[in-house]
Amino acid sequence: KMAEKQEEPSNAQNGEPDNAEEGEEKKKKKLKREDLPPFEIVTGERLPAIFFKFQFRNVEYSSGRNKTFLCYVIETQGKESVTSRGYLEDEHAAAHAEMAFFNTILPTCESSLRYNITWYVSSSPCVTCADRITETLKKNKNLRLTIMVGRLFMWEEPEMQAALKKMKSAGCKLRIMKPQDFEYVWQNFVEQEEGEEAKAFVPWEDIQENFQYYEEKLAEIL
């Protein structure tokens, strides 16, 4: 116990947002791990600013950023166009947010309607998720998917590159988030302090360079 107490402040100083979850984690650990759903779907709510600032940051080396946050906008084109939005975060490694979207949100979409779906994701999908995206798009011709990513995940790996190419050939648009896209997520998906004017999005120092870096890499791959 004592050792734990001493460690906590030092973690907090690192500004790692994971600490905010420590209390929660302790509560959750009392539940059996198996009882927990593998991911959490959060709709209508917004993600905490601290998560956004950490997870979405388009850094080159994404150490410690092992959660995926997926913000989505679904435009349904039927008699009336309807737009819905929400976000998913994966709680444990059991299911990635991309899979969670297909398993839980997508089944509620009717096959007779057309859907334009845009994801804003902290990093590009892993090989397994990329393959699932490719399969889903091949099966659902009425689905248009655009994925805006903050960072490219393991893009040097040949199998990752191949998986991204397959996604593209299945009609998926993959884009690197520009500073304006981060601002869009900030305005639409991130909690604003209550009672205050919505805080303006403050771009981080290297946001533009990192965007250009990843955009070049993606162009080379695709």
Side-chain angles (χ1 to χ4, degrees):
K1 278 268 145 85
M2 279 307 289
E4 264 180 56
K5 282 210 170 92
Q6 285 164 0
E7 281 168 19
E8 278 175 16
S10 66
N11 286 346
Q13 284 160 8
N14 294 338
E16 296 283 356
D18 303 349
N19 297 319
E21 297 179 339
E22 276 190 7
E24 282 297 301
E25 276 305 305
K26 293 201 173 95
K27 275 185 233 158
K28 282 184 182 170
K29 282 201 177 113
K30 286 183 187 159
L31 290 166
K32 280 205 207 71
R33 266 214 118 48
E34 306 83 84
D35 300 344
L36 292 174
F39 48 82
E40 192 171 355
I41 298 176
V42 187
T43 46
E45 285 183 41
R46 290 171 168 242
L47 61 117
I50 193 162
F51 285 154
F52 171 80
K53 286 174 182 165
F54 181 68
Q55 297 287 354
F56 269 91
R57 198 158 176 158
N58 59 355
V59 288
E60 198 172 326
Y61 298 102
S62 49
S63 61
R65 293 172 172 82
N66 50 5
K67 257 176 112 98
T68 306
F69 280 92
L70 186 157
C71 302
Y72 61 86
V73 180
I74 304 175
E75 291 172 54
T76 309
Q77 295 169 326
K79 289 192 186 90
E80 296 166 27
S81 290
V82 184
T83 303
S84 63
R85 65 180 77 222
Y87 83 91
L88 292 161
E89 56 180 280
D90 45 24
E91 285 290 301
H92 320 303
H96 288 174
E98 295 92 333
M99 293 291 192
F101 181 90
F102 289 133
N103 295 341
T104 52
I105 310 275
L106 196 60
T108 61
C109 295
E110 293 173 40
S111 56
S112 58
L113 299 172
R114 291 179 67 109
Y115 295 94
N116 280 339
I117 298 175
T118 307
W119 290 353
Y120 294 88
V121 199
S122 38
S123 71
S124 60
C126 66
V127 171
T128 315
C129 289
D131 288 345
R132 176 72 189 272
I133 290 165
T134 301
E135 277 167 43
T136 306
L137 288 173
K138 281 183 176 161
K139 270 192 276 194
N140 299 295
K141 294 292 176 216
N142 58 342
L143 207 58
R144 298 269 173 280
L145 179 62
T146 302
I147 305 180
M148 313 293 293
V149 300
R151 302 183 297 276
L152 289 175
F153 174 69
M154 292 179 68
W155 54 267
E156 290 115 325
E157 303 285 325
E159 58 170 347
M160 188 70 252
Q161 296 186 1
L164 294 177
K165 283 181 182 138
K166 277 193 283 188
M167 268 171 49
K168 184 190 176 183
S169 63
C172 178
K173 292 193 173 89
L174 189 61
R175 303 276 184 271
I176 305 294
M177 286 170 71
K178 300 181 166 84
Q180 301 89 295
D181 298 315
F182 288 106
E183 186 169 4
Y184 175 83
V185 171
W186 174 258
Q187 287 169 347
N188 290 281
F189 293 99
V190 177
E191 281 173 5
Q192 303 294 340
E193 294 293 313
E194 278 180 42
E196 286 186 26
E197 282 296 300
K199 283 203 182 89
F201 172 64
V202 181
W204 40 92
E205 215 177 303
D206 42 11
I207 189 168
Q208 182 64 27
E209 293 89 284
N210 290 350
F211 157 66
Q212 285 164 333
Y213 169 81
Y214 278 125
E215 194 169 55
E216 278 166 29
K217 296 287 169 251
L218 183 61
E220 284 165 26
I221 294 167
L222 299 179

